[in-house]
């Protein structure tokens, strides 16, 4: 019997809603088709942005949206993407398929999208191929209310009042696609660029520095030492791939138990990375002023056969749902340092919430996990202790279950649990020493098939349903968590 003990009296800080953030890049069919279809499209839209996608994302309370990249951010020149669309400059999207980018979706369109989604924009500036002046003028263009060249230009382009902009990234992956810099060099560049990211009026930027790739602890060390006092957040990118090497990606749909196990094992490395990067940050920032911003995470599989390799379009199964649930549990449990994340990416790219095909749209299993977990947003993390058996495969083992728990403003307790074992039910005793529930609501996402997924022909093949395997026990609950499942419990006093 596995056991989970939850101490609702031991509050461990607020789970920021920004842990549930999303990422949208000019990559494949994320921006174009995923969001932007243009005003003249037969697909129902508002000012060029498709309505179905916006409606679906609003339901999961997306708190922030990162844009324009990714690697694209460090070759994006924002001035090419404002003003009359017919006059906007074309460019080649060299990172992603070499396609021609017409810049029809630019600053105004992105900020309009964020208004429609009722979420905070998170803009990433160009360090790799841009200039300090270009970055500084972008912020002036978006946020300055007075008389200035950039504010005047914004008004000429149809926007009188400045936007509110909080989250601003100073470059992306500057250790790689963002300029192949060494941390010592980037730290100095970061110091210089961020100096000119001004706060105009009452707009206060939350500046996010480019952080490490996965387990590159040296990068974190250098950044915290050299520039820790000039940033609000340090990013971390870690993707889950099936194989043991980056090149060794697996298929999203066709995998056996080895592929299942490997992906779970690699996902759990997020716990180690967050812990170790946080420990380094603690040395330079014991008061935890700087947030660890995991602004790219999720599964990276081979592209769907027959699709453009540069478009990173992949299907999404129950296995991806377990990856999402496990990562979100890890982030919730580290909410003292992890205060913002963005899964890659929101529509049609990598571990997406939504897939589209022309006018059709489907919600992925990962979307449903975000829907089930949204109850944790802005709730207080409570102390939980898990004592569980292992899931063993091929001579290796990982913990069978993982969990996070929070109490919301109305004192409801929310618990999310993942059973990573595709063969075995997890019998769990859930002890609640200081919480006597009088009502319990449970939902579950599961299937008998490891690669269960939604298709345009059958978009509701895998959706959450009520969970019946939950019964009252002496000091809490008894749960029978089916193999490979994500469960969400809501307990009221
Ligand atoms: O999300 C796809 C790409 O992965 C991003 O552009 C880049 O930052 C990362 O390498």
């Amino acid at each position: 019997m596995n056991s989970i003990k939850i101490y609702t009296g031991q509050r461990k800080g607020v789970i920021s809603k920004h842990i549930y953030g999303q990422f949208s890049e000019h990559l494949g069919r994320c921006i174009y088709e995923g969001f932007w279809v243009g005003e003249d499209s037969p697909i129902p839209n508002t000012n060029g942005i498709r309505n179905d996608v916006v409606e679906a994302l609003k339901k999961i309370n997306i708190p922030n949206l990162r844009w324009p990249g990714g690697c694209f951010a460090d070759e994006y020149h924002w001035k090419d993407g404002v003003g009359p669309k017919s006059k906007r400059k074309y460019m080649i999207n060299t990172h992603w398929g070499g396609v021609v980018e017409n810049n029809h979706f630019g600053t105004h369109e992105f900020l309009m999208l964020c208004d429609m989604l009722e979420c905070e924009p998170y803009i990433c500036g160009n360090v790799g191929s841009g200039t300090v002046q270009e970055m500084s003028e972008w912020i002036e263009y978006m946020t300055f209310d007075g008389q200035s060249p950039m504010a005047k230009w914004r008004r000429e382009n149809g926007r009188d009042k400045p936007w509110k902009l909080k989250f601003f990234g100073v470059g992306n992956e500057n250790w790689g696609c963002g300029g192949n810099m060494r941390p010592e060099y980037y730290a100095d560049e970061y110091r210089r660029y961020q100096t000119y990211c001004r706060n105009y009026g009452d707009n206060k930027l939350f500046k996010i520095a480019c952080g490490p790739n996965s387990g590159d602890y040296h990068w974190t060390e250098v950044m915290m030492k050299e520039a820790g006092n000039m940033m609000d957040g340090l990013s971390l990118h870690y993707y889950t791939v099936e194989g043991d090497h980056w090149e060794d990606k697996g298929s999203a749909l066709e995998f056996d138990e080895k592929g299942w196990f490997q992906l779970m094992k690699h996902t759990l490395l997020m716990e180690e990375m967050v812990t170790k990067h946080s420990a380094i940050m603690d040395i330079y920032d014991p008061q935890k002023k700087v947030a660890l911003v995991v602004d790219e995470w999720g599964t990276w599989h081979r592209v769907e056969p027959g699709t453009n390799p540069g478009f990173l379009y992949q299907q999404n199964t129950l296995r991806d749902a377990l990856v999402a649930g496990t990562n979100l549990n890890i982030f919730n449990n580290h909410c003292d340092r992890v205060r913002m994340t963005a899964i890659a990416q929101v529509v049609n790219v990598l571990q997406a919430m939504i897939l589209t095909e022309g006018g059709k749209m489907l919600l992925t299993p990962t979307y449903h996990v975000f829907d089930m977990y949204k109850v944790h947003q802005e709730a207080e993390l409570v102390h939980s202790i898990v004592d569980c058996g292992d899931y063993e495969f091929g001579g290796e083992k990982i913990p069978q279950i993982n969990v996070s728990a929070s109490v919301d403003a109305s004192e409801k307790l929310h618990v999310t649990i993942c059973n990573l074992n595709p063969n075995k039910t997890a019998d769990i005793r859930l002890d609640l020493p200081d919480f006597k529930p009088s009502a319990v609501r449970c939902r579950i996402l599961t299937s008998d098939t490891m690669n269960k997924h939604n298709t345009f022909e059958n978009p509701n093949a895998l959706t959450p349903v009520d969970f019946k395997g939950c019964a009252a026990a002496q000091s809490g609950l008894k749960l029978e968590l089916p193999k490979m499942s994500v469960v969400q419990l809501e307990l009221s006093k």
Side-chain angles (χ1 to χ4, degrees):
M1 174 74 85
N2 306 286
S3 101
I4 301 175
K5 280 199 174 69
I6 296 177
Y7 298 91
T8 51
Q10 292 186 40
R11 310 279 167 117
K12 301 181 82 183
V14 172
I15 297 173
S16 170
K17 65 180 178 182
H18 291 294
I19 284 180
Y20 291 79
Q22 300 282 339
F23 175 29
S24 60
E25 180 165 12
H26 287 241
L27 195 179
R29 294 181 299 115
C30 182
I31 293 297
Y32 299 105
E33 185 181 316
F35 284 118
W36 181 257
V37 289
E39 291 93 338
D40 301 329
S41 171
I43 300 172
N45 69 85
T46 304
N47 301 327
I49 291 174
R50 60 190 293 168
N51 298 338
D52 52 357
V53 170
V54 167
E55 279 319 303
L57 291 174
K58 279 174 78 172
K59 286 199 188 119
I60 55 170
N61 297 347
I62 88 160
N64 67 69
L65 185 62
R66 181 170 183 249
W67 175 84
C71 295
F72 183 78
D74 277 283
E75 63 178 357
Y76 180 62
H77 299 287
W78 70 270
K79 290 182 184 175
D80 299 341
V82 298
K85 292 196 178 61
S86 58
K87 298 213 172 96
R88 292 189 194 174
K89 207 166 136 184
Y90 283 41
M91 68 178 282
I92 305 167
N93 191 335
T94 57
H95 282 292
W96 306 120
V99 295
V100 174
E101 158 71 53
N102 64 14
N103 272 311
H104 281 191
F105 188 91
T107 304
H108 289 248
E109 291 75 23
F110 173 67
L111 292 165
M112 173 176 71
L113 169 62
C114 290
D115 280 347
M116 289 160 75
L117 291 168
E118 294 169 21
C119 76
E120 298 265 4
Y122 169 16
I123 287 188
C124 186
N126 180 344
V127 171
S129 70
T131 63
V132 172
Q133 180 180 0
E134 181 183 11
M135 186 180 286
S136 155
E137 287 182 341
W138 199 4
I139 292 164
E140 178 189 324
Y141 184 92
M142 291 184 281
T143 64
F144 187 62
D145 199 13
Q147 297 301 320
S148 81
M150 291 301 118
K152 180 166 173 280
W153 194 25
R154 181 190 71 231
R155 291 189 186 103
E156 285 162 9
N157 289 333
R159 173 82 186 196
D160 180 24
K161 284 283 153 206
W163 290 277
K164 280 270 171 262
L165 175 69
K166 183 172 175 186
F167 300 116
F168 193 81
V170 181
N172 168 75
E173 294 194 353
N174 301 96
W175 38 261
C177 65
N180 286 306
M181 300 175 194
R182 293 169 301 109
E184 294 78 7
Y185 180 80
Y186 171 72
D188 279 348
E189 286 293 88
Y190 173 78
R191 291 167 66 104
R192 188 164 73 104
Y193 274 74
Q194 70 80 35
T195 304
Y196 302 95
C197 295
R198 305 290 190 196
N199 291 323
Y200 292 109
D202 61 0
N203 191 73
K204 171 93 176 68
L205 294 174
F206 183 99
K207 297 175 196 170
I208 299 169
C210 166
N213 176 20
S214 312
D216 182 354
Y217 301 109
H218 176 63
W219 185 282
T220 301
E221 179 88 39
V222 173
M223 284 305 296
M224 290 305 293
K225 185 163 170 228
E226 304 298 347
N229 61 345
M230 294 182 189
M231 65 177 79
D232 300 295
L234 181 70
S235 76
L236 163 65
H237 289 183
Y238 173 61
Y239 284 98
T240 309
V241 303
E242 188 183 301
D244 287 327
H245 307 287
W246 179 247
E247 294 72 31
D248 208 3
K249 303 193 181 70
S251 157
L253 289 180
E254 284 168 26
F255 54 88
D256 52 15
E257 190 178 347
K258 182 171 181 223
W260 174 283
F261 180 85
Q262 289 264 111
L263 207 73
M264 298 306 142
K265 186 179 83 175
H266 294 158
T267 292
L268 289 168
L269 289 178
M270 183 66 92
E271 171 71 36
E272 177 183 320
M273 278 174 217
V274 164
T275 303
K276 288 189 175 169
H277 287 296
S278 298
I280 297 168
M281 294 173 82
D282 284 348
I283 297 169
Y284 298 96
D285 173 34
Q287 291 177 309
K288 299 188 194 293
K289 288 187 190 149
V290 180
L292 185 59
V293 178
V294 190
D295 56 13
E296 288 189 30
W297 66 272
T299 54
W300 194 316
H301 305 301
R302 290 200 294 270
V303 298
E304 281 305 294
T307 64
N308 187 329
F311 281 14
L312 308 186
Y313 177 74
Q314 66 190 38
Q315 250 293 0
N316 195 302
T317 69
L318 177 60
R319 183 173 65 149
D320 298 273
L322 265 302
V323 168
T326 298
N327 274 301
L328 292 170
N329 279 341
I330 293 170
F331 300 147
N332 288 345
N333 287 326
H334 284 275
C335 66
D336 58 337
R337 185 62 88 173
V338 179
R339 300 199 285 272
M340 186 167 177
T341 90
I343 186 170
Q345 299 191 8
V346 62
V347 195
N348 290 333
V349 171
L350 297 176
Q351 192 175 352
M353 304 298 112
I354 291 175
L355 303 179
T356 67
E357 193 178 82
K360 292 190 238 164
M361 179 196 90
L362 66 79
L363 307 176
T364 65
T366 299
Y367 173 96
H368 294 302
V369 170
F370 272 72
D371 191 32
M372 292 162 81
Y373 276 60
K374 69 185 177 195
V375 288
H376 288 304
Q377 294 188 19
E378 299 298 311
E380 276 187 286
L381 179 74
V382 291
H383 186 50
S384 56
I385 298 175
V386 180
D387 183 5
C388 72
D390 289 325
Y391 160 35
E392 297 187 22
F393 180 85
E396 293 185 276
K397 54 188 181 186
I398 54 175
Q400 184 180 356
I401 58 172
N402 60 75
V403 66
S404 66
S406 67
V407 170
D408 70 15
S410 60
E411 286 295 311
K412 279 189 185 136
L413 171 62
H414 300 284
V415 186
T416 46
I417 316 172
C418 297
N419 178 2
L420 304 187
N421 194 321
N423 306 311
K424 224 169 116 189
T425 302
D427 293 318
I428 303 173
R429 208 183 59 231
L430 180 69
D431 282 335
L432 303 165
D434 43 15
F435 192 96
K436 297 272 162 287
S438 63
V440 184
R441 287 177 54 199
C442 317
R443 284 204 299 167
I444 185 166
L445 189 72
T446 191
S447 163
D448 278 340
T449 317
M450 285 192 288
N451 73 348
K452 190 78 171 183
H453 59 282
N454 296 327
T455 62
F456 293 102
E457 292 70 43
N458 191 1
N460 295 316
L462 183 59
T463 54
V465 293
D466 287 344
F467 174 51
K468 309 267 189 271
C470 170
Q474 211 178 10
S475 65
L477 300 172
K478 208 168 132 295
L479 308 171
E480 267 177 46
L481 235 63
K483 58 188 186 182
M484 44 183 173
S485 60
V486 182
V487 163
Q488 176 222 340
L489 311 174
E490 180 192 285
L491 298 96
S492 320
K493 279 189 181 156

